């Protein structure tokens, strides 16, 4: 099965700088069969749309509003994102959860809004350092998953990718070991199986994210049950990111 590699640009580069980045990146991945997705600021969508037209690369937003339209200054709706050519949106990245004080209910609403306009969702979940040290990882992930996927039909899960990103690992250079990730991914599939079916648990794509770089990524792609990677800091270097994608 083809693996996913998602680059989360966060708030980095201007649209022009992103275009120069692509000058370096695109020639390096010509024969690459990986499912590559760029999660970029909405200001970069026009660049992505024109540059990815003749490629298999997809792009997505880093967040959307939980509202459909109206007096919500500063927000961007799922239909706006979709109409600009995006196929995906991140939902519930730990940075947006924290900075924008996203509630579990609002994240569920965002997922419903995304799916309603055929935007695929990359749902980020992960435990804090404290939850990990007190062995509450599975409980925490279950709470995040149950609330996020509440009310969804089983057939909608095909439009959801789960990105397992331990919060303590994002941007810190620290990662769980292979065994720990394998166990957690099995736990995530068990949670999905309990709420939906074993079939959907087996089929759902689960990615790992958190301090991935060019030297450590290979061990993570090989982990049983992992369907790809979500890369933050290391995706900003076009050469490194192209190597990871390849
Ligand atoms: P990182 O970020 O790769 O810089 O740790 C991952 C993420 O935030 O998705």
């Amino acid at each position: 099965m083809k693996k996913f590699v998602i680059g989360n640009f966060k708030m980095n580069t201007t649209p022009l700088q992103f275009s120069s980045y692509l000058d370096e990146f695109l020639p390096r991945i010509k024969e690459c069969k990986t499912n590559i997705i760029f999660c970029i600021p909405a200001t970069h969508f026009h660049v992505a749309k024109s540059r990815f037209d003749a490629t298999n690369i997809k792009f997505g937003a880093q967040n959307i509003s939980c509202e459909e339209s109206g007096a919500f200054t500063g927000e961007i709706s799922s239909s706006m994102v979709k109409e600009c050519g995006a196929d995906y949106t991140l939902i519930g990245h730990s940075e947006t959860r924290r900075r924008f004080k996203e509630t579990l209910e609002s994240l569920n609403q965002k997922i419903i809004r995304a799916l309603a306009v055929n935007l695929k969702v990359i749902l980020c979940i992960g435990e804090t350092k404290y939850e990990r040290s007190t062995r509450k990882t599975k409980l925490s992930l279950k709470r995040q998953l149950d609330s996020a996927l509440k009310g969804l039909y089983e057939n909608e899960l095909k439009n959801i990718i789960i990105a397992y990103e331990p919060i303590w690992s994002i941007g810190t250079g620290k990662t769980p070991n292979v065994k720990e990730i394998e166990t957690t991914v099995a736990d995530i599939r068990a949670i999905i199986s309990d709420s939906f079916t074993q079939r959907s648990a087996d089929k759902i794509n689960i990615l790992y994210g958190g301090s991935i770089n060019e030297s450590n990524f290979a061990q993570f792609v090989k982990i049983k049950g992992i369907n790809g990677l979500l890369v933050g800091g290391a995706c900003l270097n076009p050469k490194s990111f192209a190597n990871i994608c390849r």
Side-chain angles (χ1 to χ4, degrees), residues 67-73:
E67 305 288 348
E68 198 172 354
S69 66
F72 304 104
T73 304

Side-chain angles (χ1 to χ4, degrees), residues 6-243:
I6 302 179
N8 176 11
F9 257 57
K10 309 195 179 189
M11 196 174 74
N12 289 298
T13 71
T14 65
L16 270 181
Q17 288 166 341
F18 179 53
S19 191
S20 310
Y21 169 101
L22 294 175
D23 292 341
E24 294 259 326
F25 178 79
L26 293 176
R28 295 175 195 274
I29 48 100
K30 279 222 168 82
E31 306 293 314
C32 177
K33 297 277 183 282
T34 311
N35 288 314
I36 303 170
I37 303 163
F38 280 90
C39 289
I40 46 181
T43 47
H44 297 29
F45 286 175
H46 65 291
V47 178
K49 187 157 169 47
S50 64
R51 302 293 301 272
F52 296 162
D53 230 17
T55 74
N56 293 321
I57 304 175
K58 306 287 183 200
F59 67 96
Q62 297 173 0
N63 197 7
I64 53 165
S65 176
C66 62
E67 305 288 348
E68 198 172 354
S69 66
F72 304 104
T73 304
E75 298 223 54
I76 297 179
S77 74
S78 55
S79 42
M80 293 171 185
V81 165
K82 179 71 187 178
E83 199 176 301
C84 289
D87 284 300
Y88 290 86
T89 181
L90 291 175
I91 299 281
H93 190 284
S94 68
E95 286 155 17
T96 61
R97 283 185 199 245
R98 193 175 61 235
R99 278 190 78 81
F100 304 129
K101 301 192 169 48
E102 291 175 314
T103 62
L104 296 177
E105 294 73 34
S106 76
L107 294 174
N108 175 243
Q109 196 57 37
K110 287 179 185 201
I111 292 178
I112 292 167
R113 294 263 180 247
L115 296 179
V117 298
N118 288 323
L119 264 186
K120 295 188 174 79
V121 169
I122 303 151
L123 170 64
C124 303
I125 57 169
E127 80 284 2
T128 61
K129 194 172 164 195
Y130 177 75
E131 286 166 339
R132 179 180 191 235
S133 66
T134 53
R135 299 180 177 277
K136 299 254 167 46
T137 297
K138 187 173 180 186
L139 198 70
S140 168
L141 298 180
K142 181 171 167 47
R143 204 181 66 238
Q144 293 171 53
L145 281 168
D146 285 351
S147 57
L149 303 178
K150 196 170 160 195
L152 261 60
Y153 294 109
E154 186 182 348
N155 71 0
E156 292 179 297
L157 291 186
K158 65 176 183 301
N159 293 321
I160 308 252
I161 294 175
I162 295 174
Y164 168 56
E165 298 204 297
I167 297 169
W168 53 270
S169 167
I170 295 175
T172 59
K174 296 186 186 126
T175 65
N177 65 39
V178 166
K179 192 77 211 138
E180 282 176 297
I181 297 176
E182 201 176 300
T183 306
T184 307
V185 167
D187 286 344
I188 293 171
R189 292 197 193 275
I191 295 165
I192 303 280
S193 164
D194 284 349
S195 314
F196 295 91
T197 58
Q198 186 61 48
R199 196 180 129 84
S200 43
D202 291 341
K203 279 176 76 174
I204 199 158
N205 286 304
I206 303 181
L207 316 185
Y208 170 75
S211 291
I212 291 168
N213 57 46
E214 213 183 329
S215 10
N216 69 7
F217 78 93
Q219 57 180 312
F220 298 122
V221 237
K222 283 189 226 132
I223 297 175
K224 189 168 161 251
I226 283 287
N227 308 104
L229 306 170
L230 175 47
V231 185
C235 81
L236 296 173
N237 179 320
K239 251 195 209 162
S240 305
F241 192 51
N243 284 342

